[in-house]
Amino acid sequence: MSGHMTGIEHIAAAFAGADKRAALMPYLMGGFPDLDTSRRIGDACIDAGADLLELGIPFSDPLADGPVIQAAGTAALAAGATTDGVLEVCAALAPRAPVVLMTYVNILLARGIERFVDQAARAGAAGLIVPDVPLEESAELRDACDAAGLALVALVAPTTPDDRLARIGALARGFVYTVAVTGTTGERRGGDASELLARVKRSTSVPVALGFGISTPEDAARAAADGADGVIVGSRLVRAAAEAQDPATEVGRLVAELAAGLAAPPAHTDSAAPVG
């Protein structure tokens, strides 16, 4: 993390400073295919234009993950990845870009919420995504994150009713992770997200990022056009990491394509110079 910014401030600066139509946040599974390669994948993402990183901690029962990311988590665990090992990957990447850890509550409970949050903060993490902690049970974790300067990132879905959206939005830290389609993560085409994004934006003052089902530069561009402040891409990149002989190079290539898809259009200039 640069300077003395808190994680929350680091995330805000990344969204505000993104030189694209929306901030680009690739997801990578920590420890997949191994810890060192996952660090190199993270570096490649940043080199290729990522504004933030979402770093998954592998878990044996990942309810929000689709088959590609589940398989990566299983492989990472089989290869010996541990939470401490992924926190070391976080520590290596965090000086270059905000890292938001994606994990599940059992991993936090296993070592104690305050201890986990403290260790994440020491590793330079900017925030946490814990999809199996509902709003009603999030106070202890949010308080611990607030005390450590970490953003506890909330998730909302197309099925989230307006009154609940308002409560989530009021307590949101860092950004709101908006799930574009119901179900688990994966590569599939979602519909027009503009209405959903507009609903979420009305509920909160923090940026709104769209994830789940975004895999191509065209998907990313459409998400930005629909109003997303950030675009999260996971399964497509994890699949590339699984299939490529050189995962870091291939994931970096894909992230560069996604960044190009989000490139801001050239500023309008009046090319008709006055004559005579």
Side-chain angles (χ1 to χ4, degrees):
M1 199 181 305
S2 58
H4 297 289
M5 283 194 291
T6 66
I8 293 173
E9 292 167 340
H10 205 197
I11 289 171
F15 275 95
D19 58 354
K20 312 177 189 66
R21 285 183 286 166
L24 177 57
M25 188 182 324
Y27 169 96
L28 60 146
M29 173 60 78
F32 179 73
D34 56 64
L35 284 168
D36 182 60
T37 306
S38 65
R39 179 193 55 74
R40 289 194 289 114
I41 289 171
D43 276 325
C45 289
I46 298 166
D47 291 341
D51 299 292
L52 308 94
L53 294 175
E54 183 185 353
L55 176 62
I57 298 177
F59 178 56
S60 56
D61 187 20
L63 62 87
D65 294 332
V68 171
I69 293 179
Q70 277 197 26
T74 301
L77 291 170
T82 61
T83 298
D84 288 336
V86 176
L87 290 177
E88 289 178 16
V89 172
C90 175
L93 296 170
R96 301 193 61 205
V99 177
V100 180
L101 294 169
M102 155 77 180
T103 186
Y104 289 91
V105 69
N106 278 354
I107 289 181
L108 277 64
L109 295 175
R111 56 181 68 191
I113 285 178
E114 284 197 17
R115 181 163 170 245
F116 180 91
V117 169
D118 180 61
Q119 290 175 333
R122 288 175 187 274
L128 289 182
I129 300 170
V130 191
D132 55 349
V133 175
L135 178 70
E136 292 75 10
E137 297 169 19
S138 64
E140 181 184 359
L141 177 56
R142 187 169 49 255
D143 288 349
C145 285
D146 283 351
L150 266 64
L152 179 61
V153 175
L155 285 96
V156 299
T159 49
T160 307
D162 283 341
D163 58 340
R164 185 173 178 79
L165 205 53
R167 285 185 285 134
I168 293 173
L171 292 169
R173 307 286 195 271
F175 61 94
V176 175
Y177 189 139
T178 302
V179 174
V181 289
T182 51
T184 58
T185 59
E187 301 168 58
R188 59 193 181 282
R189 195 163 295 280
D192 180 353
S194 56
E195 186 180 338
L196 171 63
L197 287 164
R199 284 181 59 219
V200 181
K201 285 185 160 188
R202 281 196 297 272
S203 76
T204 190
S205 59
V206 299
V208 175
L210 192 68
F212 283 39
I214 297 173
S215 58
T216 68
E218 292 74 24
D219 293 339
R222 187 166 57 241
D226 286 345
D229 300 311
V231 174
I232 302 166
V233 182
S235 294
R236 176 69 188 95
L237 303 178
V238 174
R239 180 161 64 83
E243 295 173 351
Q245 289 194 336
D246 183 347
T249 299
E250 179 61 10
V251 173
R253 185 185 70 75
L254 291 171
V255 171
E257 289 183 358
L258 291 161
L262 289 172
H268 176 74
T269 53
D270 188 353
S271 57
V275 210

